[in-house]
């Protein structure tokens, strides 16, 4: 008899924590393999491997080398997980970190599940490379990223199932010819109680209109289009706050922010929650996402969301009710909708209430229950 129902492995605990917690709460026996030596309260069954130094070292190396260091940690975890697969009834790994383990699980006749939080790697690569070329940044995927892309493509073949977070992501897999029967759709959750406002205070109209963008400052997030739209509008009494770290492909872009735009860097969740409570609108014009958790968090904080289809959130954002959905890479459409939001500020609070109502069913508990139901079916 196997000791564990599932062996789960990921370098980043933020990617896997809610999955493994949900599986445990559903009564399944889960052994976690990860890189962090710090134990989460209540998480008893885990093994930490010596890849933590690599994940920390990436903070110390030049920005153009950080991915290479991180991918080394991925390979180390993957090799370790491949030696531990036999302990469980199945293996659950995360994209880019699981090829050797998925192959080992297949050799041993165990189901291998790949958790992919992003679009099909072929779609992803084509879309991001096109954006690089369009802007002439002389920035392209480094060799380490090209190698990772090949690993991810091979993981699709090695996995028995791929777990994805949105219908948008599913469409990119299906368009690439990926078998529909191998896809498990499980939308992400959000901690509504943490994010929602604790009082009914009004967002007063005697202060500037305030929009917020949250995410890493990179071209894939549609940041160039957002800044161009803001320049086109040039609003006199409005501000845009950018929250997140700067990726190399946007370092030059961030040096010339238009008037009314502020960058505050990374914020912890408590500080970000307070910022949301002061704002009128959340905006994320991404060119590629799996399912942008930032959108769910902002909606839970009572903000209407201005998003693109590629954020993977259009099953939640109802056009004209809880936000708006615009075409990606379209400066004019983005500027027009921002202008409309500024002019319709009195309606935004009601839309924010609708946003909270729409996102409320998307709990992490429901996410874990769906994951557990899927896994039980796999192991039956």
């Amino acid at each position: 008899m196997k000791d564990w129902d599932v062996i789960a492995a990921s370098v980043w605990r933020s990617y896997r924590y809610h999955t493994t917690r949900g599986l445990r709460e559903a009564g399944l026996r889960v052994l976690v393999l990860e890189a962090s030596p710090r134990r989460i309260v209540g998480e008893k069954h885990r093994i930490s491997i010596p890849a933590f130094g690599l994940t920390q070292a990436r903070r110390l190396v030049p920005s153009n080398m950080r991915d290479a260091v991180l991918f080394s940690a991925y390979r180390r975890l993957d090799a370790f997980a491949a030696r531990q697969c036999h302990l469980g009834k199945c293996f659950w790994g995360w994209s880019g970190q699981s090829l050797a383990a998925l192959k080992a699980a297949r050799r041993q006749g165990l189901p291998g599940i790949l958790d992919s939080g992003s679009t099909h790697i072929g779609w992803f690569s084509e879309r991001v490379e096109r954006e690089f070329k369009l802007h002439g940044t002389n920035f392209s995927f480094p060799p380490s990223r090209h190698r990772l892309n090949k690993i991810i493509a091979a993981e699709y073949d090695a996995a028995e199932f791929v777990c994805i977070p949105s219908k948008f992501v599913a469409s990119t897999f299906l368009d690439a010819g990926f078998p529909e029967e191998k896809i498990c759709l499980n939308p992400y959750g959000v901690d509504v109680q943490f994010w929602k406002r604790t009082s009914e205070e009004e967002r007063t109209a005697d202060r500037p209109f305030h929009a917020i963008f949250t995410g890493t400052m990179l071209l894939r997030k549609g940041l160039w289009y957002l800044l161009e739209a803001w320049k086109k509008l040039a609003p006199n009494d409005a501000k845009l706050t950018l929250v997140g770290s700067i990726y190399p492909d946007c370092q030059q872009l961030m040096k010339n922010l238009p008037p009314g735009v502020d960058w505050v860097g990374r914020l912890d969740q408590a500080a970000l929650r307070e910022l949301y409570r002061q704002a009128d609108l959340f905006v994320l014009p991404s060119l590629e996402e799996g399912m942008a958790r930032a959108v769910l968090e902002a909606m839970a904080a009572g903000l209407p969301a201005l998003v693109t289809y590629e954020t993977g959130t259009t099953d939640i954002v109802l056009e004209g009710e809880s936000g708006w959905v615009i075409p990606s890479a379209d400066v004019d459409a983005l500027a027009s909708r921002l202008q409309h939001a500024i002019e319709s500020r009195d309606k935004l609070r009601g839309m924010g209430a609708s946003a909270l109502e729409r996102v409320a069913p998307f709990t992490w508990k429901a996410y874990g229950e769906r994951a557990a139901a899927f896994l039980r079916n796999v192991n039956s």
Side-chain angles (χ1 to χ4, degrees), residues 175 207 240 366:
D175 288 347
R207 56 171 177 74
L240 169 64

Side-chain angles (χ1 to χ4, degrees), residues 9-177:
S10 176
V11 165
W12 297 116
R13 62 173 44 170
S14 61
Y15 288 177
R16 64 87 192 155
Y17 171 70
H18 294 287
T19 303
T20 53
R21 179 182 177 182
L23 294 175
R24 285 195 181 96
E25 289 180 349
L28 297 175
R29 298 164 299 166
V30 183
L31 176 64
V32 170
L33 312 178
E34 63 175 353
S36 175
R38 181 172 56 87
R39 185 182 299 277
I40 296 176
V41 176
E43 190 172 76
K44 298 179 180 179
H45 305 297
R46 58 186 288 277
I47 301 175
S48 177
I49 69 161
F52 179 71
L54 287 173
T55 59
Q56 297 303 301
R58 68 191 293 266
R59 304 171 185 268
L60 307 176
V61 301
S63 58
N64 61 347
M65 296 176 58
R66 289 174 186 169
D67 282 352
V69 174
L70 174 61
F71 300 158
S72 294
Y74 286 0
R75 291 192 295 273
R76 183 173 295 183
L77 176 72
D78 187 19
F80 180 76
R83 298 192 295 272
Q84 309 302 320
C85 285
H86 65 282
L87 297 175
K89 294 180 181 178
C90 76
F91 172 75
W92 194 308
W94 275 257
S95 183
Q97 312 172 41
S98 306
L99 180 58
L102 288 168
K103 288 182 175 180
R106 173 164 288 189
R107 287 195 300 270
Q108 296 166 36
L110 303 174
I113 301 162
L114 178 69
D115 203 305
S116 178
S118 190
T119 53
H120 188 280
I121 195 60
W123 196 98
F124 171 94
S125 300
E126 190 279 330
R127 186 64 189 90
V128 176
E129 290 280 16
R130 178 163 27 116
E131 195 66 17
F132 290 156
K133 293 176 181 177
L134 179 63
H135 295 293
T137 60
N138 294 319
F139 186 91
S140 61
F141 287 133
S144 59
R145 179 70 217 204
H146 282 294
R147 288 194 294 271
L148 182 69
N149 291 351
K150 291 180 180 179
I151 288 172
I152 294 173
E155 286 174 335
Y156 298 158
D157 293 330
E160 186 167 346
F161 300 99
V162 174
C163 187
I164 59 175
S166 69
K167 292 180 180 178
F168 163 60
V169 172
S171 71
T172 67
F173 274 79
L174 295 174
D175 288 347

Side-chain angles (χ1 to χ4, degrees), residues 294-372:
V295 176
L296 277 63
E297 292 165 357
M299 293 176 69
L303 287 179
L306 172 54
V307 301
T308 55
Y309 176 70
E310 288 83 353
T311 59
T313 60
T314 53
D315 292 332
I316 306 174
V317 179
L318 285 183
E319 177 68 24
E321 294 186 23
S322 55
W324 297 278
V325 181
I326 59 170
S328 62
D330 190 329
V331 171
D332 291 339
L334 184 51
S336 175
R337 188 52 69 188
L338 282 169
Q339 183 65 47
H340 177 73
I342 293 172
E343 294 173 351
S344 307
R345 191 176 182 185
D346 58 327
K347 299 179 181 179
L348 295 184
R349 188 167 183 270
M351 294 181 69
S354 175
L356 173 56
E357 183 179 350
R358 285 290 300 169
V359 82
F362 289 83
T363 64
W364 283 119
K365 184 175 186 295
Y367 173 84
E369 289 173 348
R370 288 191 298 267

